[in-house]
Amino acid sequence: MAVTVVGSIAFDRVETHTDQREKLLGGSAVHFSLASSFFAETRVVGPVGDDFGEDEYDVLHGRGVITDDIEHVPGGKTFFWAGRYERDVNIRHTLQTDLNVFEDFEPKLSDAARAAEVLFLANIHPDLQRRVREECSGARFTALDSMNLWIDITRDSLVEAIRMVDCVILNESEIRMLVDEPNLVRAARALLEMGPSVVVAKQGEHGSALFTPEGFFALPAYPTPDVVDPTGAGDTFDGGFVGYIAAHADEEIEAPLLRRAMAYGTALASYNVEAFGTERMLDLTGSEVADRVSELGRLTRFDDVPIALRA
Amino acid sequence: MAVTVVGSIAFDRVETHTDQREKLLGGSAVHFSLASSFFAETRVVGPVGDDFGEDEYDVLHGRGVITDDIEHVPGGKTFFWAGRYERDVNIRHTLQTDLNVFEDFEPKLSDAARAAEVLFLANIHPDLQRRVREECSGARFTALDSMNLWIDITRDSLVEAIRMVDCVILNESEIRMLVDEPNLVRAARALLEMGPSVVVAKQGEHGSALFTPEGFFALPAYPTPDVVDPTGAGDTFDGGFVGYIAAHADEEIEAPLLRRAMAYGTALASYNVEAFGTERMLDLTGSEVADRVSELGRLTRFDDVPIALRA
């Protein structure tokens, strides 16, 4: 099934402990679509400025991403973000955020974008997420991501958006913050009570956890010794997870499918952090992805052997 | 095989967001032995004062723990710790630490304690860990835990102790700190290079990770919605992990056994946090432990289905 993703398209400047890059292609919709494209036809809705050119389109087209719905704002500049990671890459400092054309973004969906069976609302203002969700009233599976900013300044609108989707994917700290509940199990259950049937908590280097009304699943991150640039890992996870579901939406969207989707999201995110920006995604092959999913299966499995315990 | 554990025996005062307890039985050797006792004959070596009486011995005897090597220091008081957990139980404040008889503790092992095939050096001064390790020269499997204090003030001695054991079990933050390496995979590998063949990183609510020269395994924590008192969870994990290995030391101490041991440690720790102090361990049954291990297997398994990816 086809996927439409609405979100940011950006240029990033990234500094790490040992290196830096000036003008990396980034943004939530870009990272999402490069991952999703491994599984499903993916269409990006988002704004760019005059500085967004053939090189950037080539990256997206190289993975078969459909860019017809990318809106070019004449005279504008593309969203720009600069950040610095400490030697401990879990610690990130935002150095600069220039919204540019993203500031007045009003998503305009083509008929084809509106007709996608799977809709992903990447991290944008929840008012916009709700408007797009209403436009795509025929979607069979809808999911959203968000960030602490929207929880802080427009929580009510975000809660409304959450009521309108099947699946919420957030960092675990955002889930706790959103419902003011430090226990993640309780917090995720509170989110499920708002309406979605699937809640995914992203836990960075600790992996991710899946909550549904029926159950729970958790998967560690792939143990990567060389994290070069974590930017976009979360969006890449989203793309792998949602893309996998889109490719299997003829199945029931239940635990077995959702668990496999988590593994593909995890595998893709683990590749994404191995190089700056989208670099690693460009030469990544389907068999590398499949291999890492198999490896994740082996790294997380234990075979219980019934024993007599001293009671 | 029999287990000897050397560590602290304590009274704890614990305050949580909603409740508090004045004089809970605690200490690393106590929590360890109550868990280990599900699998193997366990002998505790540690000091107590005049305030340690029949009620406390009854708790240990209730689970078959051998207390012959508990050293009663006449006129002394038992180690006392007081702490407060915030509403987010991941945040703990130590309010008071009275070492009391623990301050001048010099482990004295009986012949029987010294003859144990499995030795666990709970969190005590690494000089003492080394001395005990040397005394138990015939042990077939040895492991230690430690804490940030010893890394801070006597790192060299701790490194020496680590060189002398088969297995190191630490919080992930301690592993990073010990070798000054923020990436956990790299940090654990550095520890393995010091000598041990097994490194376990405890990750609190995120579970635990196992590193050996050959491979990696990770297991999430059991998703507990009602954490009452996390005190002793780490020591309980240690006891389940090491105890399980002791009960199967006729097998090769390799990945399949170590992974199952992680599951038993995780299950026991998850029960321990369901009530204050050692309360939950007292009525815990072997079949409850086995059930939770089975459940952990179900909560962590995904079945990969090979698919054709869009290359």
Side-chain angles (χ1 to χ4, degrees):
Chain A
M1 291 184 177
V3 178
T4 288
V5 52
V6 182
S8 62
I9 300 169
F11 287 118
D12 294 338
R13 189 178 80 230
V14 173
E15 300 174 20
T16 67
H17 184 59
T18 56
D19 208 347
Q20 68 176 74
R21 291 290 187 282
E22 283 305 321
K23 194 186 174 190
L24 295 163
L25 178 59
S28 59
V30 167
H31 288 291
F32 177 96
S33 64
L34 292 177
S36 171
S37 68
F38 277 89
F39 308 98
E41 187 180 281
T42 304
R43 186 177 286 268
V44 173
V45 180
V48 300
D50 292 341
D51 50 352
F52 196 89
E54 281 314 304
D55 289 353
E56 288 73 36
Y57 281 108
D58 284 351
V59 168
L60 294 166
H61 293 155
R63 283 232 39 89
V65 174
I66 300 173
T67 58
D68 303 349
D69 288 73
I70 290 183
E71 181 188 358
H72 172 218
V73 181
K77 281 185 71 180
T78 302
F79 179 30
F80 176 79
W81 177 85
R84 181 172 67 79
Y85 294 91
E86 294 195 7
R87 178 166 171 251
D88 178 351
V89 292
N90 297 302
I91 304 170
R92 174 168 99 171
H93 305 278
T94 289
L95 303 175
Q96 193 173 337
T97 306
D98 301 336
L99 291 176
N100 297 330
V101 297
F102 200 60
E103 184 154 17
D104 299 312
F105 175 47
E106 298 277 347
K108 294 167 199 67
L109 278 67
S110 65
D111 288 347
R114 211 177 292 118
E117 292 94 343
V118 173
L119 173 66
F120 185 71
L121 303 162
N123 169 32
I124 54 175
H125 194 297
D127 288 355
L128 300 183
Q129 291 181 316
R130 290 158 62 189
R131 200 177 313 160
V132 173
R133 175 64 189 92
E134 278 168 0
E135 271 198 71
C136 299
S137 54
R140 287 180 50 183
F141 183 76
T142 56
L144 69 75
D145 198 338
S146 190
M147 71 183 294
N148 52 359
L149 172 69
W150 308 124
I151 301 172
D152 265 337
I153 69 175
T154 179
R155 181 183 181 279
D156 290 349
S157 178
L158 177 56
V159 168
E160 279 309 307
I162 287 170
R163 286 187 204 286
M164 297 165 72
V165 295
D166 301 303
C167 171
V168 172
I169 313 177
L170 291 171
N171 293 333
E172 61 176 340
S173 60
E174 294 161 351
I175 293 176
R176 296 179 215 266
M177 179 183 172
L178 182 60
V179 297
D180 186 26
E181 166 56 62
N183 180 288
L184 184 62
V185 180
R186 287 175 167 274
R189 286 182 186 166
L191 267 188
L192 289 171
E193 277 165 22
M194 291 179 185
S197 53
V198 180
V199 170
V200 176
K202 293 185 283 189
Q203 302 169 307
E205 62 171 336
H206 294 115
S208 54
L210 169 74
F211 300 86
T212 61
E214 300 77 31
F216 172 83
F217 171 68
L219 191 68
Y222 182 81
T224 303
D226 300 294
V227 176
V228 172
D229 173 13
T231 313
D235 303 310
T236 302
F237 175 94
D238 295 348
F241 180 79
V242 173
Y244 186 88
I245 291 171
H248 299 81
D250 50 326
E251 298 178 37
E252 294 292 328
I253 301 179
E254 290 177 352
L257 176 62
L258 293 167
R259 289 176 175 210
R260 293 200 300 276
M262 297 260 291
Y264 278 89
T266 299
L268 280 155
S270 76
Y271 280 118
N272 186 67
V273 304
E274 289 180 359
F276 277 99
T278 60
E279 282 170 18
R280 185 64 180 91
M281 303 304 282
L282 304 188
D283 62 0
L284 184 63
T285 65
S287 71
E288 285 179 306
V289 177
D291 285 351
R292 192 154 284 182
V293 168
S294 301
E295 196 178 350
L296 276 168
R298 291 191 297 275
L299 295 178
T300 56
R301 184 164 292 216
F302 68 94
D303 294 302
D304 191 22
V305 177
I307 60 164
L309 289 133
R310 291 159 46 108
Chain B
M1 291 187 178
V3 178
T4 289
V5 52
V6 182
S8 63
I9 300 168
F11 287 118
D12 294 338
R13 189 179 78 231
V14 173
E15 300 174 20
T16 68
H17 185 58
T18 55
D19 207 348
Q20 68 175 70
R21 291 288 187 282
E22 284 304 322
K23 194 185 174 190
L24 294 163
L25 178 59
S28 59
V30 167
H31 288 291
F32 177 96
S33 64
L34 292 177
S36 171
S37 69
F38 277 90
F39 309 97
E41 186 181 282
T42 304
R43 186 177 286 269
V44 173
V45 179
V48 299
D50 292 342
D51 48 352
F52 197 86
E54 281 314 304
D55 289 351
E56 289 73 35
Y57 281 107
D58 284 350
V59 167
L60 294 166
H61 294 156
R63 284 234 35 91
V65 175
I66 299 174
T67 58
D68 302 350
D69 288 74
I70 291 182
E71 180 188 359
H72 173 219
V73 181
K77 280 186 70 180
T78 301
F79 180 28
F80 175 79
W81 177 84
R84 179 172 67 80
Y85 294 91
E86 294 195 6
R87 178 166 170 250
D88 177 352
V89 292
N90 297 302
I91 304 170
R92 175 168 98 172
H93 305 278
T94 289
L95 303 176
Q96 192 174 337
T97 306
D98 300 337
L99 291 176
N100 298 331
V101 297
F102 199 60
E103 183 153 20
D104 299 311
F105 175 47
E106 299 277 348
K108 293 168 200 67
L109 278 67
S110 65
D111 289 346
R114 211 177 291 116
E117 292 94 344
V118 173
L119 173 67
F120 186 70
L121 302 161
N123 168 32
I124 55 176
H125 195 296
D127 288 356
L128 300 183
Q129 291 181 316
R130 290 157 64 190
R131 200 178 313 160
V132 173
R133 174 67 189 88
E134 278 167 0
E135 269 198 73
C136 299
S137 55
R140 287 181 50 183
F141 182 76
T142 56
L144 69 73
D145 198 339
S146 189
M147 71 183 293
N148 53 358
L149 172 70
W150 309 123
I151 301 173
D152 265 337
I153 67 173
T154 181
R155 180 182 180 281
D156 290 351
S157 178
L158 177 57
V159 168
E160 279 308 306
I162 287 170
R163 286 189 204 287
M164 298 166 72
V165 295
D166 301 302
C167 171
V168 172
I169 313 176
L170 291 171
N171 293 332
E172 61 176 340
S173 61
E174 294 161 350
I175 293 177
R176 297 180 215 265
M177 178 184 174
L178 182 61
V179 296
D180 186 26
E181 166 56 61
N183 180 288
L184 184 63
V185 180
R186 287 176 168 275
R189 286 182 185 166
L191 266 189
L192 288 170
E193 278 164 22
M194 291 180 183
S197 53
V198 179
V199 169
V200 176
K202 293 185 282 189
Q203 302 169 308
E205 61 169 338
H206 294 115
S208 54
L210 169 74
F211 300 86
T212 62
E214 300 78 30
F216 171 82
F217 171 67
L219 191 68
Y222 183 81
T224 303
D226 300 293
V227 176
V228 172
D229 173 14
T231 313
D235 303 308
T236 302
F237 175 94
D238 296 348
F241 180 78
V242 172
Y244 186 88
I245 292 171
H248 299 82
D250 50 327
E251 298 178 39
E252 294 292 328
I253 300 179
E254 289 177 353
L257 176 62
L258 293 166
R259 289 177 175 209
R260 293 200 300 275
M262 296 259 292
Y264 279 89
T266 299
L268 280 156
S270 77
Y271 280 117
N272 186 68
V273 304
E274 289 180 359
F276 277 98
T278 59
E279 281 170 19
R280 184 65 181 91
M281 303 304 281
L282 304 189
D283 62 1
L284 185 63
T285 65
S287 71
E288 285 178 306
V289 176
D291 286 350
R292 192 154 285 183
V293 168
S294 301
E295 197 179 351
L296 277 168
R298 291 191 297 274
L299 295 179
T300 56
R301 183 163 292 215
F302 69 94
D303 294 303
D304 191 22
V305 176
I307 60 163
L309 289 135
R310 292 158 45 107

